[in-house]
Amino acid sequence: MKKQFIKISAALLALITTTTAFNSINANAKTVDYKRTPKEYAAKTITKNKTWANRLNKDGYTFRIKNNPMAYEDSFSKNIKGNQLVHYSNKDTKQFAQKNINFKVNHIWSYKNGLAANIVSQSGKINGWIGYTSIYNKQISNKKFKDLMKIENKICDQSEDLTFYKYEGKNIHAKKISKLNTSINKNLKDAQKAADRLTGNDEKLAKQSIKETKTFIKNSDIRNLPTLLVGRM
């Protein structure tokens, strides 16, 4: 089991190091020399984001692949042979995206700023690793969540600005920080109103999203991004 983990880690290190948190994986399996990947080093440096993955996993088959070749080119790996990743063809990945096939997130591994998600379709026939920024939450097309997601996106933008200003210095940006906090609080109230207009499971999901948004306000790390907003980058 340990040897298999090291092999997987080595292959994923080769995959993950070709992406960043803001760009998709674009490595070509034919040009990357996976055999030269330092296996022990890979096993020690790849981080398994269990808590993050478990949170997304609870939402079930709600994620899809972005219908944009620039997002997934040569990046969806269906299995591992030895210590090499074997990719789905771009043609297949394009079909998965265009058919709006729903996926569930099982794992998220990271290396430095690179992120890869292990996803599986509801049928179980399509599964593998893909760049985290290549997937998005299907609820983006759900008109019921349109208002809520618009507000939460705005809050997340403000929260990232807030983090930046605090990092540079609270005294330097005191007025900007105060103004942002006031605006964020107002937007949270608007988000709650949008959630209150929903019913049943939609309302439950909306309230959970607001709770996640509040966490993001406190720490605007990508790991805390609300599930509804996955793919917003």
Side-chain angles (χ1 to χ4, degrees):
M1 180 64 73
K2 184 178 180 181
K3 290 182 178 179
Q4 180 63 13
F5 172 74
I6 291 174
K7 284 183 179 181
I8 293 173
S9 297
L12 283 174
L13 178 60
L15 177 82
I16 295 173
T17 51
T18 60
T19 188
T20 68
F22 304 99
N23 294 285
S24 304
I25 296 171
N26 288 308
N28 190 305
K30 295 180 181 179
T31 60
V32 178
D33 187 357
Y34 297 103
K35 292 183 179 180
R36 297 185 63 183
T37 304
K39 299 178 183 179
E40 291 291 344
Y41 179 75
K44 293 177 182 178
T45 55
I46 289 181
T47 302
K48 298 177 71 176
N49 302 280
K50 188 175 181 180
T51 302
W52 182 10
N54 286 345
R55 179 169 66 88
L56 300 187
N57 182 270
K58 289 180 181 178
D59 276 18
Y61 301 92
T62 190
F63 302 99
R64 294 173 178 171
I65 297 174
K66 292 180 180 177
N67 187 17
N68 178 2
M70 293 296 291
Y72 58 71
E73 184 177 2
D74 298 318
S75 72
F76 193 10
S77 304
K78 55 184 174 181
N79 55 43
I80 295 175
K81 289 184 179 180
N83 64 342
Q84 293 192 28
L85 292 171
V86 180
H87 297 282
Y88 283 101
S89 69
N90 288 334
K91 181 179 179 181
D92 285 341
T93 307
K94 183 177 181 180
Q95 288 184 341
F96 304 154
Q98 291 182 336
K99 289 182 179 180
N100 290 327
I101 293 176
N102 298 325
F103 292 88
K104 179 172 67 175
V105 171
N106 283 329
H107 309 290
I108 299 175
W109 284 15
S110 59
Y111 172 75
K112 294 185 177 179
N113 287 331
L115 292 170
N118 180 267
I119 59 176
V120 59
S121 65
Q122 198 155 5
S123 67
K125 294 180 180 180
I126 308 169
N127 63 85
W129 291 90
I130 195 167
Y132 180 74
T133 56
S134 297
I135 61 175
Y136 69 97
N137 195 310
K138 69 177 184 180
Q139 298 297 352
I140 194 171
S141 60
N142 187 339
K143 293 181 180 180
K144 293 180 180 179
F145 291 106
K146 183 179 180 180
D147 291 340
L148 176 65
M149 293 176 75
K150 182 177 181 180
I151 297 170
E152 288 189 341
N153 260 310
K154 186 176 182 179
I155 293 174
C156 287
D157 286 339
Q158 293 174 321
S159 299
E160 289 170 346
D161 288 342
L162 190 63
T163 298
F164 175 75
Y165 290 138
K166 287 181 177 179
Y167 175 78
E168 281 206 325
K170 293 182 180 180
N171 293 330
I172 300 174
H173 298 294
K175 290 183 178 180
K176 291 181 179 179
I177 290 173
S178 177
K179 187 176 180 179
L180 276 172
N181 280 325
T182 299
S183 183
I184 287 173
N185 288 331
K186 178 184 180 302
N187 288 329
L188 276 175
K189 292 179 180 179
D190 289 339
Q192 187 60 57
K193 290 178 182 178
D196 290 340
R197 291 195 289 269
L198 301 174
T199 59
N201 289 330
D202 291 337
E203 182 181 15
K204 183 178 179 181
L205 179 58
K207 288 183 176 180
Q208 178 61 32
S209 188
I210 291 175
K211 182 179 179 181
E212 292 172 349
T213 299
K214 289 179 179 178
T215 299
F216 190 82
I217 293 170
K218 295 177 181 178
N219 182 1
S220 58
D221 187 287
I222 189 173
R223 290 172 293 184
N224 296 324
L225 189 70
T227 307
L228 280 179
L229 303 187
V230 169
R232 89 185 197 106
M233 296 85 70

